[in-house]
Amino acid sequence: MHEVTTRHFIIATAGHVDHGKSALVKAMTGTDPDRLPEEKRRKITVDLGFAELNLAGSNGDKIHAGVIDVPGHEDFVRNMIAGVGSTDIALFVVAADDGWMPQTEEHLQILNYLGVQRAVVALTKSDLGRIDVVIEQIRGKLQGTSFAQSPIVPTSVRSGTGIQNLERTLATELGMAEPQRDIGKPRLFVDRVFTLHGIGTIVTGTLTGGPLHRGQQILVYPTNLETRIRSIQSHGWALEIVQPGMRAAFNLPDIAVNQIKRGDVVTVHDLGTPSSTLVVLIEKSSRLDRESPAARPLKSGSLCYLHHGTSRVAANISHLERGRLGFGEKTVAQLKLRSPIFAFVGDRFVVRDSAEQNTIAGGVVLDPEGHKKSLTSSLGLDDVDSLVRLTISRHGFAQRQNFLSKSQFSATEISEALLRLQERGEIILRQHVAADCELWRKLSIQATALIDEAHKQKPASAGVDLSEIRSAMRIQQAHIVEALVADLCAGNFVRKGSVIARASHRPKLPTHLQLVEAGICEKLSKEPFDPPSRKVIESDSHARQVVRFLIENGDLIEIATDVVLLRESFECMKSRVAEFIFKNGPSTVSELRVALGSSRRVMVPLLERLDREGTTRREGDRRCLR
Ligand SMILES: Nc1nc2c(ncn2[C@@H]2O[C@H](COP(=O)(O)OP(=O)(O)OP(=O)(O)O)[C@@H](O)[C@H]2O)c(=O)[nH]1
Ligand SMILES: [Mg+2]
């Protein structure tokens, strides 16, 4: 038996002013979306209106749609774009008496730029015009767009004709649509903010990317305010949890109404931060009338407005290929924004001119951090493998944690793609690093050469410090060097502290110091348990150099600033101490000093060191074994 489920979608209206969008929404839902006094007075829609529509899918599934009604007037295109940012299906309205009009065209281009794939065309005011003529006109205009095959339904709110048919058609179309994906990356693009007396600040918007629940800790970008969702409603119903593709109203009592505004994003931690530079693929529609100001080429340095989600920010376009973008063309470009936005790879946007008269371009975000390196590539954004491959090859490496967090793929999809690419030998994964195979191989060779060269140039030195490798190879991130070194150490290299060397490397003093070395060892071995002080041994700078070398290599053990022992002497004293205590029980410093034929000067620091190492333990003035 088929289990009945409810699927959530967003329907947004679009179309020229006065073409009957709001009247249609009211006829279908019973809700008048025009709520502002100004809208009532002027009899036009000024800002977004909202309603709820329940439909029955053909298989019995419930379809629940949030309806966003947008203004058609050319002065309010800015609000229209904010309304259609997360649309599953457009309710595209053309009035039978007017036919295709300027904002019909502009709205179509906006929907195309935003990648809206589905539409139902409502041929409104069918009581007033020639249906067949207008249908033909609409079909002609939709040719070559994603709406070319969209159903066209004649309607009239006057006579009630076609309203049920329109609802059935919407249900059929949504029955074929995939609900928005849950990728565990919730973003609510805020479209309304107000206060309710005694309740506090309410923000509303459309949720995408993942669910949010009551009580959840959230972040507001770009302001970076952190707060908790006290309660959630969707179309007036109180909810515990709200799913992607739903309208939501959050009560955020700890945030003042003037601290949050349309365009802000409500999200969660660990998804990255907003940025004010983007690398994008930008396109100018080929539909633009070549005579219209909107068709003028976009130039490097042009000022414009970028519309993303519900936000609108001033932006400066740069790095355009050939310096300009003509209509019907697309190119990779960099956008510098007046204020940061929280965009993901693959997010769509619309561009309007600086006077906000015309919609002039649109596109998709390639790199939300805006790295110049990304200017060379136009990604295969729909496929997680190619996105991962390109991102890694562009930078050479990537940190695995939070890799591509600002993308439209889930963390699991991304880590599975990393493993697939590793299996295919395209990338390597080491510790916290993902790296391009070829680059990693080059780096290993380079690091090996550096170490070998150092062994040759400085045979007395234990090896190369990691910081030297990092600066010689100009690698900014320490964790990459760490991963590289770990990789080398799995082979023929060893790491001691921050120094790496060939496993076979034995540090050797230059010939002129080898005699000095012999002299020092002789002095130290004469009375091995009570050798001369370091001051005596380090008679000159050469001797000092040799002592340092012997300590570094572990041939000498420095038990106090002034006391060094040959390694054999140290090991021998250690076992003799252990043996003595084992035989005689807890012993004092002087008992041990006498037993070993040493001095207080040596014995005190030696025992302290053995305490630290865990061989002995001090109890009062006696030492026992651990
Ligand atoms: N004859 C007739 N008039 C209609 C029909 N639908 C809407 N109207 C009228 O058209 C006018 C505009 O309707 P709205 O629904 O406000 O148009 P709109 O597209 O929402 O307008 P904006 O939101 O301002 O772009 C109103 O006076 C409606 O009564 C219809 O089916 N037949
Ligand atoms: Mg309206």
Side-chain angles (χ1 to χ4, degrees):
M1 215 181 79
H2 178 75
E3 197 185 325
V4 175
T5 53
T6 305
R7 306 201 303 152
H8 297 277
F9 294 100
I10 299 291
I11 300 174
T13 60
H16 196 72
V17 64
D18 216 30
H19 273 200
K21 298 178 290 297
S22 304
L24 201 55
V25 170
K26 186 169 181 200
M28 287 195 302
T29 64
T31 306
D32 181 359
D34 288 337
R35 60 202 151 80
L36 305 173
E38 186 188 355
E39 291 176 324
K40 298 284 184 218
R41 187 167 43 78
R42 292 175 67 183
K43 293 202 169 64
I44 59 167
T45 304
V46 171
D47 206 348
L48 304 176
F50 306 95
E52 173 183 31
L53 183 63
N54 286 298
L55 300 166
S58 51
N59 60 358
D61 275 355
K62 289 180 180 166
I63 294 174
H64 176 268
V67 182
I68 302 179
D69 181 45
V70 309
H73 195 284
E74 60 178 325
D75 288 353
F76 310 123
V77 175
R78 180 213 279 206
N79 294 339
M80 179 273 174
I81 303 175
V84 295
S86 319
T87 308
D88 296 298
I89 191 166
L91 177 55
F92 196 73
V93 168
V94 185
D97 53 345
D98 265 357
W100 200 270
M101 294 293 279
Q103 269 62 55
T104 321
E105 177 62 33
E106 189 172 6
H107 286 195
L108 175 75
Q109 289 179 22
I110 288 166
L111 294 170
N112 284 170
Y113 286 137
L114 293 176
V116 177
Q117 291 299 315
R118 286 177 192 278
V120 170
V121 182
L123 180 48
T124 51
K125 309 196 189 182
S126 64
D127 52 300
L128 295 182
R130 290 275 319 270
I131 293 172
D132 47 349
V133 177
V134 186
I135 287 185
E136 200 172 320
Q137 184 198 29
I138 295 171
R139 278 280 168 242
K141 293 285 189 185
L142 292 181
Q143 237 176 49
T145 72
S146 359
F147 304 158
Q149 306 301 327
S150 296
I152 301 176
V153 183
T155 60
S156 167
V157 299
R158 279 282 149 81
S159 64
T161 315
I163 305 297
Q164 279 186 351
N165 187 14
L166 180 65
E167 290 180 8
R168 268 197 305 275
T169 310
L170 282 167
T172 309
E173 290 292 311
L174 288 174
M176 294 185 287
E178 281 300 314
Q180 292 202 21
R181 289 190 347 122
D182 175 1
I183 51 164
K185 299 177 177 182
R187 280 186 297 170
L188 178 113
F189 297 101
V190 174
D191 49 34
R192 272 202 308 161
V193 179
F194 52 91
T195 21
L196 280 185
H197 188 68
I199 292 178
T201 301
I202 308 284
V203 303
T204 74
T206 304
L207 184 64
T208 64
L212 285 171
H213 59 80
R214 190 168 70 88
Q216 190 160 352
Q217 200 68 22
I218 50 137
L219 269 177
V220 181
Y221 282 143
T223 43
N224 224 355
L225 288 171
E226 205 177 331
T227 190
R228 220 171 51 85
I229 302 175
R230 186 202 267 166
S231 61
I232 301 178
Q233 286 195 357
S234 185
H235 300 286
W237 304 98
L239 296 180
E240 277 301 306
I241 187 162
V242 60
Q243 301 291 346
M246 285 174 78
R247 294 286 309 160
F250 297 148
N251 177 208
L252 307 177
D254 302 331
I255 290 187
V257 75
N258 59 1
Q259 286 180 299
I260 184 165
K261 58 182 186 316
R262 173 177 291 179
D264 289 355
V265 178
V266 171
T267 186
V268 291
H269 274 289
D270 298 329
L271 298 181
T273 51
S275 119
S276 39
T277 313
L278 309 175
V279 168
V280 301
L281 184 66
I282 189 168
E283 142 184 48
K284 227 170 151 48
S285 175
S286 57
R287 297 179 64 94
L288 290 165
D289 173 3
R290 105 185 19 240
E291 303 304 325
S292 83
R296 279 187 212 130
L298 256 177
K299 300 202 179 86
S300 270
S302 291
L303 276 176
C304 61
Y305 278 98
L306 175 92
H307 292 254
H308 167 262
T310 51
S311 74
R312 157 189 160 277
V313 289
N316 197 312
I317 305 184
S318 58
H319 299 288
L320 280 174
E321 250 168 353
R322 299 192 300 273
R324 50 190 279 140
L325 179 72
F327 74 102
E329 294 177 345
K330 52 172 89 169
T331 180
V332 179
Q334 197 177 48
L335 298 180
K336 291 242 191 283
L337 314 180
R338 181 95 26 101
S339 56
I341 63 168
F342 191 54
F344 286 4
V345 191
D347 278 0
R348 302 277 185 147
F349 60 85
V350 171
V351 176
R352 302 200 83 222
D353 62 5
S354 56
E356 299 196 75
Q357 298 291 315
N358 302 288
T359 299
I360 53 175
V364 57
V365 176
L366 298 180
D367 179 358
E369 305 307 337
H371 294 115
K372 277 206 181 145
K373 278 183 183 168
S374 318
L375 281 167
T376 49
S377 58
S378 59
L379 303 179
L381 296 168
D382 304 329
D383 164 21
V384 64
D385 284 14
S386 42
L387 178 61
V388 167
R389 184 188 302 118
L390 253 141
T391 311
I392 292 176
S393 75
R394 199 199 285 151
H395 300 281
F397 355 74
Q399 191 149 5
R400 280 168 83 175
Q401 200 193 1
N402 291 333
F403 177 56
L404 282 174
S405 65
K406 289 204 289 185
S407 75
Q408 296 177 352
F409 297 102
S410 70
T412 315
E413 286 169 328
I414 291 163
S415 50
E416 284 170 0
L418 284 170
L419 292 173
R420 267 196 303 278
L421 295 181
Q422 167 169 261
E423 263 166 38
R424 279 190 237 138
E426 296 184 41
I427 62 165
I428 67 110
L429 299 178
R430 293 286 184 281
Q431 299 179 340
H432 306 300
V433 178
D436 180 77
C437 254
E438 191 50 28
L439 177 77
W440 198 252
R441 207 178 53 84
K442 273 193 201 144
L443 288 178
S444 303
I445 293 173
Q446 221 179 325
T448 303
L450 263 171
I451 298 165
D452 284 342
E453 187 58 23
H455 287 343
K456 212 154 101 195
Q457 297 300 329
K458 295 185 196 158
S461 157
V464 188
D465 200 90
L466 263 45
S467 62
E468 271 175 66
I469 295 197
R470 201 172 138 192
S471 66
M473 294 176 57
R474 291 163 195 250
I475 301 176
Q476 310 274 319
Q477 307 94 322
H479 64 269
I480 290 172
V481 176
E482 287 286 337
L484 192 65
V485 164
D487 226 17
L488 292 173
C489 290
N492 301 322
F493 292 81
V494 283
R495 174 180 178 169
K496 282 185 209 145
S498 68
V499 171
I500 178 164
R502 281 222 177 250
S504 56
H505 175 67
R506 294 283 164 273
K508 229 168 64 193
L509 281 169
T511 11
H512 73 282
L513 292 180
Q514 283 171 12
L515 269 178
V516 183
E517 181 191 11
I520 288 172
C521 291
E522 199 191 314
K523 275 186 210 157
L524 288 172
S525 55
K526 254 193 203 135
E527 270 190 75
F529 294 174
D530 191 18
S533 77
R534 190 162 170 181
K535 233 181 272 147
V536 174
I537 294 165
E538 288 183 338
S539 47
D540 60 11
S541 69
H542 278 164
R544 260 199 299 284
Q545 200 181 332
V546 171
V547 168
R548 209 179 318 123
F549 169 83
L550 292 172
I551 291 173
E552 263 175 32
N553 285 300
D555 295 327
L556 283 190
I557 309 290
E558 184 182 26
I559 58 168
T561 22
D562 197 36
V563 186
V564 289
L565 296 173
L566 285 170
R567 166 163 289 285
E568 310 86 84
S569 319
F570 172 77
E571 297 296 346
C572 187
M573 286 182 92
K574 184 164 143 181
S575 45
R576 297 268 297 270
V577 166
E579 237 168 73
F580 185 86
I581 302 176
F582 185 70
K583 259 196 216 145
N584 305 294
S587 319
T588 62
V589 172
S590 51
E591 283 163 358
L592 288 161
R593 172 179 61 79
V594 173
L596 269 73
S598 181
S599 62
R600 248 196 112 68
R601 179 181 63 91
V602 175
M603 210 60 206
V604 169
L606 178 86
L607 288 170
E608 277 166 3
R609 178 168 175 136
L610 296 183
D611 290 346
R612 279 199 303 279
E613 281 184 2
T615 311
T616 51
R617 185 161 44 86
R618 190 176 173 156
E619 265 181 17
D621 59 354
R622 295 186 175 271
R623 287 306 196 297
C624 39
L625 288 180
R626 233 183 235 235

